[in-house]
Amino acid sequence: EHLSDQHNMAFVALLFAPAVATAAGRQVATFDFGWRHRLGLHAEGPPTVNPWPLPNNTSPGNSPPEAAPTYADGTWDQVVLPHDGLVATGPSNISCPSGCSGRSYIPRSVMWYRKTFQLPPSWAEELADNRSGLDTTSIWLEFDGVFRATSIYLNGEVLAQNAQGYLGFQVPLTSGRARSLLRATESNVLALFVDPDTGAGFSPSRRSGWWYEGGGIY
């Protein structure tokens, strides 16, 4: 399939996006399917302890093992976007004796998402031309939103961070550091670390809001 004159392309994580959609000058492929998910920073915490365990430092760093292409995520849950990683655990009056956020009795936790993907062949060909000096192709990720503080990794290296849980955002894959990390003809691994509460400065019973804010990709 030929690209239009503008030669702009995007991977998009959107609600109800079709598998492949073509608009003027733009090709779109949904990223809603094929994700793996796990709660916890470097180990999943049990949902039935009091209080719910939170790491002293919720920063995964620039090259955490969970973001590496070789990391074994076969035991992680298989999920489809949109996804709330906190609701999936269910309520617990053991780990949330005072109700937690919004009196939902749903424990708060940091979490990971991973997805392995390959570029469509036509995109890979355009990307090869792009790296030969013909800057006619742009590939980027577009999210409707991720709640809340998010670090985005490509093939083990951090690409971007976003702290606005109620706003959509884009992550370029053919400019800056991503340009050298994106594999045109091999598998790529995208990893997202999500902290619903933007760090460790909140008490387990209150966290960041007095209503249930959720946590995940939507």
Side-chain angles (χ1 to χ4, degrees), residues 91-115:
S92 171
N93 59 6
I94 298 176
S95 53
C96 289
S98 61
C100 292
S101 60
R103 300 296 181 186
S104 64
Y105 288 89
I106 295 176
R108 312 292 292 175
S109 174
V110 297
M111 64 188 73
W112 282 97
Y113 290 89
R114 282 172 54 97
K115 177 180 173 65

Side-chain angles (χ1 to χ4, degrees), residues 3 7 9 117 119-139 173-175 178-186 188:
L3 300 177
H7 287 196
M9 300 177 290
F117 69 94
L119 295 178
S122 61
W123 296 23
E125 182 178 350
E126 290 287 341
L127 183 59
D129 292 340
N130 202 39
R131 289 174 174 171
S132 298
L134 301 176
D135 291 329
T136 58
T137 300
S138 296
I139 303 175
L173 296 183
T174 48
S175 62
R179 185 184 180 98
S180 62
L181 293 174
L182 182 64
R183 300 166 180 172
T185 58
E186 301 176 34
N188 295 275

Side-chain angles (χ1 to χ4, degrees), residues 192-212:
L192 272 70
F193 175 78
V194 182
D195 183 348
D197 299 296
T198 63
F202 303 92
S203 68
S205 61
R206 184 177 70 85
R207 305 306 289 162
S208 63
W210 51 266
W211 64 93
Y212 176 69

Side-chain angles (χ1 to χ4, degrees), residues 27-77:
Q27 293 184 355
V28 178
T30 183
F31 247 31
D32 290 348
F33 304 96
W35 289 87
R36 293 277 184 170
H37 171 263
R38 191 205 70 193
L39 296 177
L41 178 58
H42 295 307
E44 185 170 5
T48 56
V49 297
N50 182 13
W52 175 263
L54 295 170
N56 293 327
N57 178 13
T58 58
S59 174
N62 292 330
S63 302
E66 289 82 358
T70 56
Y71 185 85
D73 60 9
T75 61
W76 293 20
D77 293 337

Side-chain angles (χ1 to χ4, degrees), residues 5 9-10 14 19 23 25 53 56 74 80 110 123 141-142 145-146 149 164 169 180 183:
D5 292 340
M9 300 177 290
L14 292 175
N56 293 327
V80 175
V110 297
W123 296 23
L141 294 165
E142 182 176 343
V146 183
Q164 301 299 323
F169 62 95
S180 62
R183 300 166 180 172

